[in-house]
Amino acid sequence: MMTVEKENVQLVSVIIPVYNMELFVGETIESVLASDYPNFEVVVVDDGSRDNSLSIVKKFEAKDSRVRVYTQSNSGVSAARNHAIREARGVYILPVDADNIIYPDFISAAVSAIEKSPNIKVVVPRIEYFGNKSGEWILPEYSLSLLARKNIIDNCALYRRQDCIDFGGYCTDIPTREDWDFWISMLKNGGEVVFLDKIGLKYRVRSNSKHVSNRDKLPKVIDVLNTRHPEFFEKELYGKLRKKRTFSKFYNLLVRLLNPRKISISSGYEGMEYFIKSLPVHFDANHGKIIHNRRNQLRLFTYDDEEYVIKRFAKPNIFNALIYNLFRPSKAKRSYLYAQKLLANGIPTPEPIAYSEINCGCFFRDSFYISRKSDLRYSFYDVIDNKNLPHREEYLTFIGEKAAEMHEKGIYPLDFSGGNILIDFINGVPVWQMVDLNRMKFCNVNQEMGCKGFERLNLEPEALDTIAVAYAKHRGFDADVCKKLLRQYRWKKHNN
């Protein structure tokens, strides 16, 4: 009968990290082995204990095939739990600390609860204290808003192994309260938490327990949480988790009132709102891949499996900070609006997604422009620097023609330079895109002005001639005049 039952229930992996717990770990394992659930394993990871913990757990392994023991050099409880999860074979994971005790019917009740709905992410027992404290640990009613301010779920709770793998497991950078970070990772994108109606765990309170001894590390915990979950805190607290956690939402609302921001998001991308609002945290935490890092910074980010290029513009001087706030559109806003205008006129540019502006009182402070990542492999710098680049002559002619088309439509980039022209050769034809769009004029472009627009292309004279001929032919200008003008307007620093 037991074999039949075992074949019809999912395997649960009880994971127990151990570090110097010789006084308690035997009692913990015995409580797990007494479980009435018919299909479980016990995965113990000794985290470099210096006492007899390892020899104690090895004895359980020798006596009971359900127990497997692994060792590692001392790396912390998060690394030990991750190690155990890698070795685990179960569909469900139940972490148990090596000084606590579970009741025989807890695993059965937890599995029964989690299997009622795929939307249930976590099943939590009622908990009673023992050791230096007695009575029941009354956990508050669960909500994401409360989870953002404090940990309200004990480490000992049942969850699906795959959910844990999907977000990378326990954070090894957090100095303590790693379970708080873990539950935020598990639940920040949705999912239900079920609290069982009967005691399932006995939580040992000791005078030297980690929860007591690590209170002074809380500021570091808060820093790590803010770095790892900026969108979550933006959504739940309107900004960062603060050291006075209870007042985080109030403080952030006050900060927002004094430092207003403006965000415009293209239709269809509204789901990126909290990611966009938290971009200052992402950049300050060095998230994403740096593409360009001089006065302005470009980073490549992946969001929902899509790639985006985000430009953070340098903070303006105090004069421009006032001008941008009161009179002139910011560079980020101009980039966004100009991209829309280019696309409306048939000029290719990566799809504009959003822009974000942040003020400090009456002064402009920070701005971001977000666009889709281009699939084109080269910039025009590759044409400039590599005379042996395949299709180079075709690229030169092509850019002369496309610039002519753009000028005819009254679009005049003031920074028509190598890095702002993306190119490629696809299906036998050259293609291009314009980027870095915040400096443009929209006006009638005559011959001299049009030829001057190529001044930033640091090409040899013969290559400029190729562009000039293509430009002149498309616009009906004299080719010799265009060649003369392109050479004349070539930047002096390029000639030097």
Side-chain angles (χ1 to χ4, degrees):
M1 182 68 178
M2 180 62 70
T3 303
V4 174
E5 289 182 358
K6 183 175 181 179
E7 290 174 351
N8 286 278
V9 295
Q10 298 287 6
L11 178 65
V12 173
S13 297
V14 180
I15 63 170
I16 305 176
V18 180
Y19 179 69
N20 293 345
M21 284 289 172
E22 63 181 1
L23 297 179
F24 312 114
V25 66
E27 189 178 5
T28 298
I29 295 177
E30 286 174 352
S31 76
V32 176
L33 294 176
S35 172
D36 64 10
Y37 188 74
N39 193 18
F40 67 89
E41 63 176 2
V42 184
V43 183
V44 181
V45 174
D46 181 79
D47 188 35
S49 294
R50 292 171 294 177
D51 62 4
N52 291 322
S53 295
L54 180 58
S55 62
I56 291 170
V57 298
K58 283 283 189 181
K59 291 177 181 177
F60 282 97
E61 183 182 41
K63 292 188 296 183
D64 196 315
S65 61
R66 293 173 296 179
V67 180
R68 301 202 315 277
V69 177
Y70 300 89
T71 61
Q72 63 181 36
S73 59
N74 183 242
S75 305
V77 65
S78 291
R81 289 193 187 120
N82 289 337
H83 187 168
I85 290 166
R86 289 193 299 271
E87 302 293 349
R89 301 163 184 166
V91 172
Y92 302 117
I93 299 292
L94 177 65
V96 178
D97 287 343
D99 58 347
N100 292 340
I101 294 173
I102 67 169
Y103 279 80
D105 57 353
F106 169 46
I107 299 178
S108 297
V111 171
S112 177
I114 202 170
E115 292 188 338
K116 289 180 179 178
S117 170
N119 195 46
I120 296 173
K121 291 289 187 71
V122 184
V123 179
V124 186
R126 284 173 58 188
I127 304 168
E128 66 178 355
Y129 295 114
F130 77 119
N132 290 353
K133 187 176 181 178
S134 61
E136 184 172 352
W137 180 1
I138 305 298
L139 297 173
E141 184 176 350
Y142 168 78
S143 72
L144 276 176
S145 179
L146 186 56
L147 183 64
R149 288 179 280 125
K150 60 187 296 187
N151 187 22
I152 52 177
I153 304 173
D154 183 62
N155 171 65
C156 182
L158 188 81
Y159 56 83
R160 293 177 180 84
R161 180 175 183 268
Q162 189 58 51
D163 286 340
C164 168
I165 292 172
D166 287 344
F167 62 77
Y170 292 85
C171 174
T172 56
D173 295 327
I174 198 163
T176 182
R177 307 202 185 190
E178 65 290 329
D179 49 341
W180 187 10
D181 173 87
F182 184 85
W183 298 129
I184 291 174
S185 299
M186 176 75 74
L187 298 165
K188 64 183 179 181
N189 295 319
E192 297 178 28
V193 178
V194 172
F195 287 80
L196 298 177
D197 60 2
K198 62 187 300 184
I199 302 292
L201 172 69
K202 295 180 71 173
Y203 183 93
R204 190 187 302 270
V205 177
R206 296 179 286 119
S207 58
N208 62 340
S209 67
K210 189 177 74 168
H211 185 76
V212 174
S213 62
N214 284 340
R215 284 174 181 166
D216 61 334
K217 297 180 181 178
L218 187 56
K220 174 64 175 176
V221 170
I222 291 173
D223 288 342
V224 174
L225 291 175
N226 280 320
T227 298
R228 283 175 52 80
H229 310 288
E231 296 98 322
F232 171 69
F233 291 115
E234 181 66 49
K235 182 178 180 181
E236 300 299 332
L237 303 177
Y238 307 120
K240 292 182 177 181
L241 177 67
R242 305 289 175 170
K243 292 181 180 179
K244 299 292 185 181
R245 292 174 288 157
T246 301
F247 300 101
S248 293
K249 186 178 289 189
F250 171 79
Y251 184 83
N252 289 332
L253 285 171
L254 182 62
V255 169
R256 192 60 57 217
L257 182 65
L258 298 175
N259 299 276
R261 65 186 172 196
K262 180 180 180 181
I263 293 176
S264 182
I265 304 176
S266 296
S267 178
Y269 293 95
E270 294 84 358
M272 295 180 69
E273 175 187 359
Y274 296 111
F275 170 70
I276 293 168
K277 286 181 175 179
S278 60
L279 283 176
V281 178
H282 282 294
F283 270 75
D284 292 343
N286 203 31
H287 294 166
K289 177 183 178 182
I290 294 177
I291 300 174
H292 176 86
N293 189 21
R294 292 185 183 175
R295 186 168 182 271
N296 304 315
Q297 187 176 95
L298 271 74
R299 287 180 177 266
L300 178 65
F301 285 85
T302 300
Y303 182 86
D304 280 350
D305 298 324
E306 299 289 343
E307 291 186 310
Y308 300 91
V309 173
I310 302 178
K311 184 172 186 176
R312 185 182 203 174
F313 291 91
K315 290 178 175 61
N317 61 44
I318 190 168
F319 175 77
N320 284 333
L322 187 61
I323 295 298
Y324 282 140
N325 188 38
L326 299 177
F327 305 110
R328 190 182 183 195
S330 70
K331 293 179 180 180
K333 182 176 182 178
R334 296 202 304 268
S335 297
Y336 179 72
L337 296 178
Y338 291 171
Q340 292 177 328
K341 193 164 186 175
L342 260 62
L343 291 173
N345 281 276
I347 308 300
T349 187
E351 182 183 4
I353 305 302
Y355 75 90
S356 172
E357 301 172 342
I358 304 172
N359 287 354
C360 180
C362 61
F363 291 93
F364 182 87
R365 189 183 74 187
D366 213 355
S367 63
F368 302 84
Y369 171 59
I370 302 96
S371 67
R372 283 272 194 173
K373 176 183 176 293
S374 174
D375 292 328
L376 305 188
R377 295 175 294 169
Y378 307 112
S379 78
F380 204 74
Y381 278 135
D382 294 290
V383 176
I384 294 171
D385 297 335
N386 183 5
K387 293 183 180 181
N388 297 316
L389 183 72
H391 312 294
R392 187 174 192 261
E393 195 76 11
E394 291 170 272
Y395 284 135
L396 294 169
T397 299
F398 178 73
I399 289 302
E401 295 171 347
K402 293 305 175 183
E405 290 179 10
M406 190 164 50
H407 292 170
E408 284 180 340
K409 294 177 179 179
I411 300 170
Y412 188 74
L414 297 174
D415 190 6
F416 197 63
S417 57
N420 298 337
I421 305 168
L422 306 183
I423 58 171
D424 209 338
F425 217 82
I426 299 176
N427 297 325
V429 295
V431 294
W432 78 308
Q433 288 180 333
M434 280 289 301
V435 295
D436 198 6
L437 310 176
N438 69 89
R439 297 181 66 240
M440 286 195 172
K441 283 185 177 180
F442 298 91
C443 59
N444 180 51
V445 183
N446 60 30
Q447 182 179 25
E448 185 163 349
M449 184 179 180
C451 291
K452 188 177 186 300
F454 296 97
E455 66 181 352
R456 293 170 180 260
L457 299 183
N458 187 15
L459 289 159
E460 72 276 13
E462 294 77 16
L464 287 173
D465 289 347
T466 301
I467 290 178
V469 169
Y471 183 79
K473 182 178 180 180
H474 192 90
R475 298 205 66 187
F477 296 151
D478 183 281
D480 289 335
V481 173
C482 285
K483 286 195 286 186
K484 179 181 178 182
L485 287 171
L486 257 70
R487 291 193 181 203
Q488 173 186 326
Y489 282 119
R490 186 170 182 251
W491 271 14
K492 290 182 179 179
K493 70 176 184 179
H494 290 165
N495 289 327
N496 292 334

